[in-house]
Amino acid sequence: MIAQLNSISLYVICGSIVAFVAAVCIVFMVRAYKAGIAIGMDPAKLKRTLTSSVTFSVLPSIGILLGVIALSGSLGTPWPWLRLSVIGALHYETQVAQAAAEQVGLHTLSAAEMTPQAFATIALLMSVCIMWGMILSFFFNKGYLKKLGGQKKEKTDSKPGFGDMAMTAMFIGLVSTYIGSYIGGFVSGEGLFTFKGDLTPVIVALVSGLFMSGFIYLAEKKNMVWLESFSIAGSMLAGMIAAILL
Amino acid sequence: MDKNTYLEQYDRTTHVLGRAASLITLVMLVGAPFLIGFLLGALPDLSAAVKGFLSVGIIWTVSSVVEFLVYTPMLGAGGGYLAFITGNLINMKIPCAMNAREIAGTQAGTPENEIISTLSIAASSLTTITVLAVGVLLLVPLQPILQSEALQPGFANVVPALFGAMAYQYFRRNIRLAVVPLTIMTLLFILVPSLISQTSLLILPSGAIAIGLAYLSWRKKGAES
């Protein structure tokens, strides 16, 4: 079965979808770059955005590649490659694939038990469960942004700047939730206030934050602005090395 | 053509392209399992798929609605369409776009931010697509290195490493805003550790607390000025 799941025809099907999405990204990127130039944005700033986004994404992408490798043992390589290149999320795929496997009567998500129908059903469920963001975007992206833009315009007349502050606040909420979960995991992960849970994520976050402070110091105080493009990737690498050394 | 007319035209085309790309991707993603099933000689078991959807899909549907409502304003039109097509939002696209915005110094809701966000999400998605394509090509020789026992703790902690760096970047300028949600979330996870497996669902209340505090501070500043 695993040989069928790694066949050339599956690579062609999955590869075509990945290639289509890559083409969409290129079209959006070129349009945005041209628009930036047309409205007078600094080309250096646009290029720095591209560099920083590429360097930022390399390490998480290697983590995602590990997800492909992890799933390739049971689902073959082409399907996990497609799922994690397009729409998918690392934390989502395994969970849904496992749940789908249970529904089709497999004891566990494994190549040994896999049948063609089980695979097709698992693949369908993996697609359907996570497609809602795309559907909502299709129907409501324009209207939702227009509505928010209208509200912003009304408010701009009196007190400018809350929209931007709200986005920063939302992100602070997001980061706080994850940092809180690492601390909570250590303190009560193995029983309330036992302090026997996993300390590694807390240390990793601390090391990563410490390196980030160093990068920001060098960029802001020592005029090494070019470091900004590598600050997140460098800090993450330091944090990950700390996890390996622990 | 003046700047406003140009931007209106750009925005209109972005929505047309975004919707077309979303629709085509959707059709291909849902169609692929049927095509693969046809090639393998067995179509999907639809009743099992419905049962599976009811058991896990509902949670992800709710999560998708929340993600759409929260992240679309952060990403703008182009970035929003691309991010929902390419996925990996929380662990990569959102932090990546926020980092780009921080570096470029743009403000949410402005055309400049829309452009920076689109560039950032597109570059990030292309990086992932490239890394995965190269990785799949080199899967056999790379596997022993990437899966070596020694490196596993590093890859298992990509997300804490990411949020540690982002926490410093954001908290240092907004420490008063960060203290309350951070304290509440930490206490919540300490007192109810079972919630750790539902971390992503708690982003919304935590974000709402931070936005509420930011609003109070913004109003106070407005009243003072």
Side-chain angles (χ1 to χ4, degrees):
Chain A
M1 184 67 204
I2 198 78
Q4 282 179 290
L5 298 180
N6 285 322
S7 66
I8 297 291
S9 51
L10 259 75
Y11 272 105
V12 172
I13 294 169
C14 297
S16 307
I17 303 174
V18 174
F20 172 77
V21 173
V24 170
C25 292
I26 292 169
V27 169
F28 271 75
M29 192 164 77
V30 172
R31 284 183 73 249
Y33 191 87
K34 283 183 180 169
I37 300 290
I39 64 168
M41 289 177 77
D42 180 3
K45 196 182 268 185
L46 298 175
K47 281 177 188 156
R48 206 138 54 91
T49 300
L50 290 172
T51 318
S52 66
S53 301
V54 169
T55 54
F56 182 102
S57 305
V58 170
L59 282 174
S61 297
I62 295 173
I64 293 167
L65 177 62
L66 286 175
V68 175
I69 294 172
L71 285 170
S72 64
S74 49
L75 296 173
T77 304
W79 186 254
W81 168 46
L82 166 67
R83 294 294 320 160
L84 288 162
S85 296
V86 181
I87 207 179
L90 196 54
H91 59 289
Y92 158 88
E93 302 297 339
T94 317
Q95 193 186 337
V96 174
Q98 181 65 43
E102 285 168 18
Q103 292 302 324
V104 294
L106 303 186
H107 293 101
T108 179
L109 188 66
S110 75
E113 289 186 60
M114 194 63 69
T115 63
Q117 188 176 43
F119 175 81
T121 311
I122 290 169
L124 179 65
L125 199 57
M126 286 169 88
S127 291
V128 168
C129 285
I130 206 173
M131 66 186 186
W132 304 105
M134 210 156 43
I135 293 176
L136 289 168
S137 264
F138 178 85
F139 285 110
F140 304 117
N141 182 308
K142 192 176 180 180
Y144 184 42
L145 285 175
K146 201 174 167 185
K147 198 176 172 189
L148 290 176
Q151 284 176 355
K152 185 182 164 64
K153 207 171 179 181
E154 280 167 26
K155 287 179 180 174
T156 304
D157 298 337
S158 52
K159 294 171 189 171
F162 184 65
D164 194 58
M165 209 169 163
M167 290 308 113
T168 302
M170 187 66 221
F171 194 73
I172 285 173
L174 188 155
V175 175
S176 299
T177 311
Y178 277 90
I179 300 287
S181 76
Y182 304 145
I183 300 170
F186 165 64
V187 176
S188 297
E190 297 293 324
L192 277 181
F193 294 102
T194 51
F195 293 88
K196 286 183 178 170
D198 190 2
L199 186 58
T200 311
V202 180
I203 294 175
V204 168
L206 279 174
V207 170
S208 182
L210 197 66
F211 271 78
M212 190 68 190
S213 70
F215 278 118
I216 287 176
Y217 173 79
L218 292 173
E220 289 182 355
K221 307 284 181 197
K222 302 289 175 188
N223 290 324
M224 295 163 80
V225 181
W226 59 271
L227 265 180
E228 281 185 339
S229 298
F230 305 96
S231 56
I232 291 273
S235 307
M236 285 173 71
L237 196 60
M240 289 164 71
I241 290 171
I244 292 168
L245 296 176
L246 280 170
Chain B
M1 196 188 297
D2 69 47
K3 187 179 164 182
N4 283 344
T5 316
Y6 177 84
L7 285 171
E8 271 174 28
Q9 200 177 36
Y10 173 78
D11 189 55
R12 223 175 10 249
T13 321
T14 299
H15 285 295
V16 172
L17 286 174
R19 282 177 166 171
S22 300
L23 186 64
I24 296 169
T25 310
L26 193 63
V27 169
M28 289 197 295
L29 280 175
V30 178
F34 289 94
L35 182 59
I36 293 170
F38 176 75
L39 289 174
L40 296 176
L43 290 175
D45 177 348
L46 293 180
S47 75
V50 170
K51 278 184 202 162
F53 179 77
L54 292 174
S55 70
V56 284
I58 297 292
I59 298 167
W60 289 99
T61 305
V62 174
S63 168
S64 294
V65 173
V66 173
E67 284 187 350
F68 172 78
L69 293 174
V70 172
Y71 300 138
T72 302
M74 283 188 188
L75 299 170
Y81 285 115
L82 277 187
F84 285 109
I85 289 173
T86 54
N88 281 302
L89 271 87
I90 294 173
N91 57 330
M92 194 160 67
K93 302 293 161 47
I94 302 297
C96 184
M98 295 301 279
N99 183 50
R101 189 188 119 180
E102 184 84 11
I103 290 174
T106 53
Q107 294 204 325
T110 60
E112 287 78 8
N113 191 63
E114 158 79 35
I115 286 161
I116 292 294
S117 163
T118 307
L119 281 176
S120 165
I121 303 282
S124 172
S125 305
L126 285 169
T127 306
T128 305
I129 287 173
T130 309
V131 168
L132 260 59
V134 172
V136 165
L137 277 175
L138 301 174
L139 201 56
V140 177
L142 274 182
Q143 212 152 345
I145 302 165
L146 290 173
Q147 286 188 313
S148 69
E149 281 294 316
L151 294 184
Q152 290 321 298
F155 288 116
N157 283 285
V158 168
V159 177
L162 170 65
F163 284 125
M166 297 299 279
Y168 180 80
Q169 199 177 25
Y170 275 81
F171 289 3
R172 74 188 182 110
R173 284 197 194 138
N174 306 281
I175 191 68
R176 287 168 69 182
L177 193 61
V179 164
V180 176
L182 183 61
T183 308
I184 291 175
M185 285 298 126
T186 303
L187 286 174
L188 192 63
F189 286 117
I190 288 174
L191 296 172
V192 193
S194 60
L195 286 174
I196 292 169
S197 61
Q198 305 291 327
T199 302
S200 62
L201 291 177
L202 288 168
I203 293 169
L204 199 62
S206 175
I209 292 167
I211 289 176
L213 291 170
Y215 184 71
L216 290 176
S217 153
W218 175 74
R219 274 190 61 175
K220 197 177 162 192
K221 275 182 193 163
E224 284 168 1
S225 60

